[in-house]
Amino acid sequence: MTTQQRTASIRRETSESSIELELNLDGTGTSSIETSVPFYDHLLTAFAKHSLTDLTVRAKGDVEIDVHHTVEDIGIALGLAIKQALGDKSGISRYGDALVPLDEALVQAVVDISGRPYLVHSGEPAGFEFHLIGGHFTGSMVRHVFEAITFNAGLTVHVTVLGGRDPHHIAEAEFKAFARAFRQAKALDPLVQGIPSTKGSL
């Protein structure tokens, strides 16, 4: 089993945003999030808490135009940090799954720390992508964040919305389900020797 510190620090600067992000995969779920997008702060705080990942995010971006650039760039930075912190992936459980309710919403997430980026995302109700959650966060950004994390972290992720009516509940349940599945997948398993793959690498 690995004894290395599974931490990462990412700085990402573009003409559209400035991101500083730090994480510890073996934390307690402590977070300090300032993205300038309030509902995104809420979602990332939930991710940290339920994945037991310590997470700090400081971000500034052109939110006066749209939250899109800032939200996407933070997702990219988070994915890169996850990949960096996982290292060679020695000793991890690799797979995780979760079924999470939030009142009327119900979401299933499955994560494979596979090294192969792939996202299957389905089940959000018609019109969800157009809804402004909190008056500023477009529902379409939920999938976009998962795309950014998945492709930059090298994860295979399936997120399925099984039910739901309220956009806030649906989005939050998606992040919590992903967090719980990721928590299982990243966990160090004392029974795993080396890389959990017949290929010898992930």
Side-chain angles (χ1 to χ4, degrees):
M1 181 182 295
T2 185
T3 57
Q4 70 183 25
Q5 280 197 321
R6 299 196 300 167
T7 61
S9 179
I10 299 290
R11 303 289 184 271
R12 178 179 169 82
E13 295 274 350
T14 73
S15 62
E16 298 168 339
S17 70
S18 173
I19 314 294
E20 296 183 3
L21 186 149
E22 296 180 357
L23 65 72
N24 177 3
L25 292 180
D26 299 308
T28 61
T30 301
S31 63
S32 178
I33 314 291
E34 296 178 9
T35 69
S36 70
V37 183
F39 187 66
Y40 200 27
D41 291 357
H42 181 57
L43 295 177
L44 291 175
T45 300
F47 166 76
K49 174 64 71 174
H50 294 284
S51 67
L52 296 183
T53 298
D54 291 347
L55 180 63
T56 299
V57 181
R58 298 287 179 270
K60 295 181 180 178
D62 55 0
V63 295
E64 71 280 1
I65 295 174
D66 195 316
V67 304
H68 187 285
H69 299 145
T70 302
V71 170
E72 178 181 31
D73 287 351
I74 292 168
I76 291 170
L78 179 55
L80 292 172
I82 288 171
K83 183 175 183 178
Q84 183 183 115
L86 283 168
D88 68 1
K89 308 181 184 80
S90 178
I92 64 169
S93 294
R94 178 176 170 176
Y95 300 101
D97 67 273
L99 190 63
V100 172
L102 180 54
D103 294 349
E104 88 295 343
L106 182 64
V107 176
Q108 181 181 39
V110 181
V111 171
D112 176 10
I113 301 176
S114 63
R116 298 186 307 278
Y118 203 98
L119 175 68
V120 178
H121 181 268
S122 62
E124 290 177 345
F128 176 88
E129 67 273 26
F130 303 118
H131 191 88
L132 283 177
I133 305 171
H136 61 276
F137 189 92
T138 310
S140 63
M141 293 308 302
V142 174
R143 177 189 174 93
H144 207 43
V145 172
F146 286 131
E147 287 173 337
I149 295 171
T150 296
F151 280 83
N152 287 280
L155 307 177
T156 298
V157 176
H158 290 244
V159 177
T160 306
V161 178
L162 299 174
R165 177 186 54 79
D166 183 275
H168 182 139
H169 292 167
I170 293 168
E172 187 173 339
E174 289 188 69
F175 271 76
K176 287 179 175 178
F178 171 68
R180 291 289 298 193
F182 178 68
R183 172 178 167 178
Q184 292 178 14
K186 73 178 172 82
L188 296 172
D189 186 334
L191 298 179
V192 173
Q193 300 295 317
I195 309 298
S197 171
T198 55
K199 296 194 291 279
S201 66
L202 289 171

